[in-house]
């Protein structure tokens, strides 16, 4: 089994679903194993970004009947966990489509809309440089656990570098490969002989590399590459092929006799390490998105609170105006009918003046009350705004102080690193000096040592 992600420079669309679920569905060679086609289509169509789809395939040499439904389910679930980790559980949509039209070989195709269902943000399930190692580990583990065919098996190497799932399209090249192999040791004893043989047969060689050649047949639209010992520049005599075949047989023996349990243990450890690294990556993204949402909600909450305060102030002012109107309209105006006509007019003028003074006084009192209440509420709002501003300044100061501390800490680390480097350099210099001094001392005492040993030898001879 191997894993392949389809190239998608234009971003993709629902055309990926149309390809996977075309006439093969009616032919019975395509079926949905997991997911909802309609939901996946709607999600893809709802994405406004250019990059919409991540699609790929798990390709098997085994037929669909050779792998149980339970095993397929386990492999699909395990692949989703390896690709997206537990941190993305419930946050993505995936559609699994089985194909069995490639000579009965099983293919598990997957389509993932590039959208985080929880945050509604775009995300890319697979970055080749960052994720290739993790997916390769997972693939090797599955091949060992389920006994699947391994593309790394030396016995599976083929000279013709072309997909064999549609043999009708490459049958002429397969025939040419058989012809070339039948001429090894006869008309072909080196790579130069091979090139001459093809030229004599009227076959065009479009490229000639160090370990391959590309050949184009008249019956085919594109050239195909042949790779291996026969097509290598090192093939200068027939003995090279014998040696290469022996080395290949040894590689196959080592591959088949390897310790699979140990290899599986090491792969699982490596996969777990890669999964933890990817999980930390998603955690950082989710925390950043949470902070952004919280900040947005807080801003909206502050705006609503300010609006409600303004509305309350307007209502308060309207009530004050209504009270003033009622006070002015409810002042009693009495007339003494027994007074003389002049007194009536005089008293009326005095009372009118008094009423106006009372009204003016009442209006002033109420206006002062309204003004004071309004000023009080405004003062409260201003005070709260000042407190929030002060909090922001304190937070900014704290952030700045923390940043300065981090900068100082980084500077200290760099200084300490330089000091350590100087110490290491000094240690190397001292070691070199000690070595040279030891050599000089050794060289200086060597004659005396030899002379002493000679004397010892002579004296021991006389003693005997």
């Amino acid at each position: 089994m191997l894993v392949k992600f389809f190239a998608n420079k234009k971003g993709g669309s629902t055309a990926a679903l149309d390809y996977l679920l075309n006439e093969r569905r009616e032919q019975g060679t395509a079926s949905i194993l997991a997911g909802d086609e309609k939901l996946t289509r709607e999600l893809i169509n709802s994405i406004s970004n250019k990059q919409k789809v991540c699609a790929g395939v798990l390709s098997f040499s085994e037929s669909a009947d050779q792998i149980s439904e339970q095993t397929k389910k386990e492999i699909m679930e395990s692949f989703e966990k390896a690709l997206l980790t537990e941190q993305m559980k419930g946050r993505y949509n995936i559609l699994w489509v089985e194909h069995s039209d490639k000579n009965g070989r099983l293919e598990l195709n997957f389509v993932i809309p590039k959208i985080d269902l929880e945050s509604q943000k775009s995300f890319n399930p697979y970055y080749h440089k960052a994720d290739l190692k993790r997916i390769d580990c997972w693939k090797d583990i599955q091949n060992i656990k389920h006994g699947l065919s391994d593309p790394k098996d030396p016995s599976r190497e083929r000279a013709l570098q072309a997909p064999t799932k549609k043999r009708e399209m490459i049958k002429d090249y397969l025939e040419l490969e058989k012809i070339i192999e039948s001429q090894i040791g006869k008309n072909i004893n080196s790579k130069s002989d091979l090139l001459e043989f093809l030229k004599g047969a009227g076959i065009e060689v479009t490229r000639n590399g160090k370990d391959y050649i590309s050949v184009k047949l008249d019956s085919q639209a594109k050239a195909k590459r042949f790779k291996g010992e026969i097509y290598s520049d090192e093939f200068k005599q027939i003995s090279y092929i014998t040696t290469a075949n022996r080395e290949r047989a040894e590689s196959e023996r080592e591959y088949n006799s390897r310790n699979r349990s140990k290899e599986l243990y090491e792969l699982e450890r490596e996969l777990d390490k890669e999964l933890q690294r990817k999980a930390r990556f998603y955690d950082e993204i989710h925390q950043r998105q949470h902070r952004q949402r919280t900040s947005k909600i807080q801003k909206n909450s502050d705006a609503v609170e300010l609006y409600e305060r303004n509305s309350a102030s307007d209502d308060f002012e309207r009530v004050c105006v209504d009270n003033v109107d009622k006070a002015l309209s409810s002042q009693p105006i009495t007339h003494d009918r027994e007074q003389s006509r002049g007194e009536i007019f005089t008293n009326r003028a005095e009372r009118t003046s008094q009423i106006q003074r009372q009204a003016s006084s009442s209006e002033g009192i109420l206006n002062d009350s309204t003004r004071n209440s309004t000023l009080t509420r405004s003062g409260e709002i201003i005070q709260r705004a000042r407190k929030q501003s002060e909090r922001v300044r304190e937070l900014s100061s704290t952030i700045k102080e923390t940043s300065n501390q981090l900068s100082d800490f980084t500077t200290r680390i760099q200084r300490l690193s330089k000091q350590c480097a100087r110490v290491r350099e000094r240690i190397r210099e001292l070691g070199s000096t000690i070595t040279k001094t030891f050599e000089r001392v050794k060289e200086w005492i060597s004659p005396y040592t030899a002379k002493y040993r000679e004397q010892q030898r002579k004296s021991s001879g006389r003693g005997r």
Side-chain angles (χ1 to χ4, degrees):
M1 182 262 290
L2 58 84
V3 183
K4 182 178 180 181
F5 288 84
F6 301 139
N8 201 359
K9 294 181 179 180
K10 294 184 178 180
S13 64
T14 54
L17 300 179
D18 297 335
Y19 169 76
L20 295 177
L21 298 168
N22 53 15
E23 67 277 359
R24 282 176 284 209
R25 178 185 276 183
E26 286 72 26
Q27 294 171 358
T29 58
S31 60
I32 295 175
L33 296 183
D36 186 329
E37 178 193 354
K38 184 179 179 181
L39 176 59
T40 302
R41 283 185 183 275
E42 290 176 352
L43 285 171
I44 294 173
N45 288 328
S46 69
I47 299 174
S48 58
N49 298 326
K50 178 181 177 181
Q51 295 295 327
K52 302 177 186 296
V53 172
C54 172
V57 61
L58 311 183
S59 181
F60 301 77
S61 293
E62 293 77 10
S63 66
D65 297 336
Q66 290 177 299
I67 301 177
S68 67
E69 296 300 318
Q70 181 62 29
T71 301
K72 294 176 190 176
K73 183 179 179 181
E74 290 177 4
I75 290 175
M76 290 188 296
E77 290 177 352
S78 176
F79 175 75
E80 291 181 33
K81 183 178 178 181
L83 179 64
L84 298 163
T85 75
E86 290 290 344
Q87 272 59 31
M88 287 299 294
K89 188 174 183 180
R91 300 177 69 116
Y92 66 91
N93 172 267
I94 188 169
L95 181 72
W96 285 97
V97 179
E98 175 184 322
H99 280 179
S100 59
D101 60 318
K102 311 294 192 306
N103 297 320
R105 292 171 52 252
L106 174 64
E107 287 185 347
L108 298 179
N109 300 272
F110 57 88
V111 177
I112 307 173
K114 292 184 176 182
I115 183 170
D116 184 334
L117 301 180
E118 182 172 319
S119 67
Q120 297 299 305
K121 300 288 186 181
S122 175
F123 90 104
N124 190 0
Y126 180 77
Y127 294 89
H128 185 72
K129 291 183 179 180
D131 299 331
L132 175 62
K133 183 177 180 180
R134 186 175 75 261
I135 297 303
D136 266 351
C137 280
W138 174 84
K139 176 198 67 179
D140 293 339
I141 289 172
Q142 301 305 310
N143 287 335
I144 294 174
K145 286 179 65 175
H146 298 288
L148 302 172
S149 57
D150 188 354
K152 295 180 180 180
D153 186 347
S155 64
R156 295 180 58 81
E157 292 182 4
R158 297 290 182 267
L160 178 59
Q161 306 295 293
T164 57
K165 56 188 178 183
K166 295 184 178 180
R167 299 182 68 88
E168 287 297 319
M169 298 177 64
I170 60 170
K171 64 179 182 180
D172 293 341
Y173 287 105
L174 292 172
E175 289 296 326
L176 175 61
E177 181 184 359
K178 292 179 182 179
I179 293 172
I180 292 173
E181 291 177 352
S182 68
Q183 294 298 314
I184 300 298
K186 299 176 183 177
N187 295 322
I188 300 176
N189 294 293
S190 65
K191 186 175 182 179
S192 58
D193 290 344
L194 170 63
L195 296 175
E196 287 296 327
F197 176 80
L198 294 173
K199 183 178 178 180
I203 298 173
E204 179 185 0
V205 178
T206 59
R207 286 191 179 183
N208 181 13
K210 290 183 179 180
D211 60 348
Y212 74 90
I213 62 171
S214 293
V215 175
K216 183 180 181 306
L217 299 176
D218 293 338
S219 60
Q220 299 293 325
K222 294 183 179 180
K224 299 296 181 184
R225 177 173 293 187
F226 291 85
K227 186 176 181 180
E229 297 87 357
I230 302 173
Y231 310 95
S232 172
D233 288 346
E234 297 182 17
F235 179 30
K236 297 178 180 179
Q237 51 188 3
I238 198 66
S239 59
Y240 171 76
I241 300 299
T242 304
T243 304
N245 288 337
R246 186 166 56 251
E247 291 176 353
R248 178 186 290 228
E250 179 64 20
S251 298
E252 292 179 9
R253 187 191 66 77
E254 291 179 357
Y255 174 83
N256 293 325
S257 61
R258 73 192 192 281
N259 189 337
R260 286 177 171 80
S261 298
K262 181 180 178 181
E263 182 179 355
L264 182 62
Y265 172 74
E266 292 175 352
L267 286 169
E268 287 177 339
R269 284 187 59 188
E270 186 66 28
L271 177 61
D272 185 62
K273 184 169 66 176
E274 290 296 315
L275 282 171
Q276 291 179 13
R277 184 179 63 81
K278 189 66 175 181
R280 288 194 296 271
F281 169 76
Y282 279 127
D283 280 339
E284 291 174 2
I285 290 178
H286 297 162
Q287 289 171 9
R288 184 166 64 251
Q289 291 174 350
H290 177 70
R291 288 194 297 269
Q292 291 173 351
R293 288 197 300 270
T294 303
S295 176
K296 187 175 181 180
I297 291 170
Q298 183 63 41
K299 289 179 180 178
N300 292 338
S301 177
D302 293 342
V304 169
E305 182 180 358
L306 182 60
Y307 173 79
E308 290 176 348
R309 290 174 183 171
N310 292 338
S311 298
S313 297
D314 293 342
D315 293 341
F316 181 72
E317 290 178 2
R318 282 195 295 271
V319 170
C320 290
V321 171
D322 291 341
N323 288 335
V324 170
D325 292 339
K326 290 179 181 179
L328 293 175
S329 62
S330 63
Q331 295 296 325
I333 303 176
T334 61
H335 304 283
D336 190 354
R337 295 181 180 179
E338 299 178 355
Q339 293 179 348
S340 61
R341 189 172 183 180
E343 291 176 348
I344 289 174
F345 283 107
T346 302
N347 292 336
R348 182 179 295 173
E350 291 177 355
R351 286 179 180 150
T352 300
S353 177
Q354 183 180 0
I355 289 171
Q356 288 176 351
R357 286 195 303 271
Q358 290 176 352
S360 177
S361 175
S362 177
E363 183 178 6
I365 292 170
L366 291 173
N367 283 339
D368 289 341
S369 176
T370 302
R371 189 180 299 108
N372 291 336
S373 299
T374 304
L375 290 174
T376 301
R377 295 295 297 276
S378 299
E380 292 176 357
I381 294 172
I382 292 171
Q383 188 66 23
R384 290 186 182 181
R386 286 176 179 172
K387 288 182 179 179
Q388 290 180 355
S389 178
E390 185 64 28
R391 289 174 188 168
V392 171
R393 283 196 296 272
E394 290 176 359
L395 181 60
S396 177
S397 177
T398 303
I399 291 172
K400 186 175 181 180
E401 183 180 351
T402 304
S403 177
N404 292 334
Q405 291 175 354
L406 288 174
S407 179
D408 293 341
F409 184 65
T410 302
T411 303
R412 291 176 185 174
I413 290 175
Q414 292 174 349
R415 191 182 302 119
L416 181 60
S417 178
K418 290 179 180 178
Q419 291 175 354
C420 290
R422 287 197 294 270
V423 170
R424 286 196 298 270
E425 184 64 27
R426 183 59 179 164
I427 290 172
R428 282 197 293 269
E429 291 176 358
L430 289 174
S432 177
T433 302
I434 291 170
T435 302
K436 290 179 181 178
T437 303
F438 178 77
E439 291 295 331
R440 285 198 300 270
V441 171
K442 185 178 179 182
E443 183 180 354
W444 181 71
I445 67 172
S446 179
Y448 298 98
T449 304
K451 186 177 179 180
Y452 174 76
R453 288 176 179 173
E454 182 64 22
Q455 290 176 352
Q456 290 291 327
R457 187 180 62 78
K458 290 179 179 180
S459 62
S460 63
R462 285 194 300 269
R464 287 195 295 269

